[in-house]
Amino acid sequence: MFDRALRLALIATLLAACQVGSAAERPTKADPSEDAPVAVAAATALPTALPTAPPRTTARPTVTPSPTPTPIPTPTPPPPTAFAFNLYQEGDFVPQYTFEWCVGASIQMSYNMVAADTRASRDDQETLWEHARSRSSNLFNGANPRGWATVLNEIGIGPYELVSVPDYNDALRTAAAAMRDTGRPVGLVMWRGRHAWVMSGFESIGDPATHPDFRVTGVRVLDPLFPYGSGTWGPSPAPNSLLSPEELAKQFVIREPRRWSSNLGAGYMLVLPRAGDSTAGSSSG
């Protein structure tokens, strides 16, 4: 009997131990759907793989070739037309007071066309001629073109230099271009080196400053021997006369080499102004 009672007590104890809790302790289910084994399913489901981004590729910039720049055309100068340049004003002409002083008178006229004052007296002309002669090397004991150029520089209207141009038309172009560039007159060595004139202006087809291929059509001149002229070379043109190249060529000829010693070759001789600062009037003659 005792053994049977002991077994019944043991079974009751084991049954009580197997219960999770009493009915009062069990949670109230708010939603019947909670009966579904959601938690268990979520816990046991395999993790979903995250979407894999496509491999990143480095974008290559699109190179658009730059358009070839259109070259800017060089402005074409207008076609050459008639052009005139003249330095002469009333009162610039001075006659030579003796048949020897043509260089002295030419220096005075050149000065008058550049400076603000005027040189025209006989005494001044003689002084200028003496200065030019003392700076010359001349078998005839006169003033030669080299002394002429030297005195122009000394009285402050230079720079001038003596040049010899073998070709006649080149000589005219050289003289006109220098005059246009400097605004100063040109000395012309006339009669194969025996006489001096001054070129006071010119006319041309094309401006020498813009048309390198300009052509001289006329030359304005001052002959200090006017109105006398020469029985050999012809009459003296009036002051500031416009001579054609053909008319000028009758008296403007190639220098005679034996007239005076020089290292310049035979040619048409010019007392030529060069670009540079002129200080006219700052020196005395």
Side-chain angles (χ1 to χ4, degrees):
M1 178 66 76
F2 177 78
D3 292 337
R4 184 181 176 192
L6 181 62
R7 285 196 296 273
L8 290 173
L10 180 61
I11 291 170
T13 302
L14 291 173
L15 290 172
C18 291
Q19 292 179 0
V20 176
S22 64
E25 296 173 343
R26 293 178 183 176
T28 303
K29 296 180 180 179
D31 189 345
S33 65
E34 291 180 1
D35 290 342
V38 175
V40 175
T44 59
L46 293 176
T48 303
L50 295 174
T52 303
R56 184 183 298 273
T57 58
T58 303
R60 295 184 179 180
T62 302
V63 179
T64 303
S66 300
T68 303
T70 303
I72 300 175
T74 302
T76 303
T81 57
F83 178 80
F85 186 87
N86 194 2
L87 296 173
Y88 179 80
Q89 294 183 6
E90 191 69 29
D92 290 339
F93 176 78
V94 182
Q96 60 187 83
Y97 294 107
T98 74
F99 286 105
E100 291 80 22
W101 294 354
C102 61
V103 167
S106 294
I107 294 171
Q108 286 179 317
M109 291 188 291
S110 295
Y111 182 91
N112 294 345
M113 283 185 278
V114 175
D117 56 336
T118 300
R119 305 179 74 144
S121 72
R122 180 186 180 97
D123 289 344
D124 181 64
Q125 187 177 117
E126 181 178 12
T127 299
L128 292 171
W129 180 78
E130 290 287 358
H131 283 344
R133 187 175 69 155
S134 68
R135 290 151 179 77
S136 301
S137 173
N138 195 310
L139 296 176
F140 296 90
N141 198 31
N144 72 18
R146 194 174 299 282
W148 180 2
T150 300
V151 173
L152 288 173
N153 294 330
E154 290 178 351
I155 65 174
I157 63 171
Y160 275 87
E161 67 175 331
L162 182 64
V163 302
S164 179
V165 182
D167 180 79
Y168 178 70
N169 289 320
D170 286 347
L172 298 186
R173 286 168 43 82
T174 298
M179 182 176 292
R180 180 72 169 97
D181 184 42
T182 65
R184 286 178 273 140
V186 174
L188 303 178
V189 180
M190 308 297 289
W191 303 356
R192 295 197 177 96
R194 293 178 176 87
H195 192 37
W197 285 11
V198 177
M199 179 175 169
S200 57
F202 66 91
E203 292 187 358
S204 61
I205 300 300
D207 180 354
T210 56
H211 291 86
D213 57 346
F214 75 97
R215 178 171 56 88
V216 176
T217 58
V219 178
R220 292 195 177 276
V221 295
L222 302 174
D223 178 2
L225 195 55
F226 178 81
Y228 300 104
S230 165
T232 302
W233 296 98
S236 294
N240 199 43
S241 290
L242 180 66
L243 304 183
S244 69
E246 293 74 21
E247 291 171 324
L248 180 65
K250 296 175 182 178
Q251 301 193 52
F252 183 40
V253 296
I254 290 179
R255 171 189 63 93
E256 189 176 294
R258 69 179 181 85
R259 290 291 300 175
W260 55 285
S261 60
S262 171
N263 58 356
L264 295 174
Y268 298 88
M269 299 197 69
L270 306 169
V271 179
L272 197 69
R274 293 299 192 189
D277 293 332
S278 175
T279 56
S282 64
S283 302
S284 63

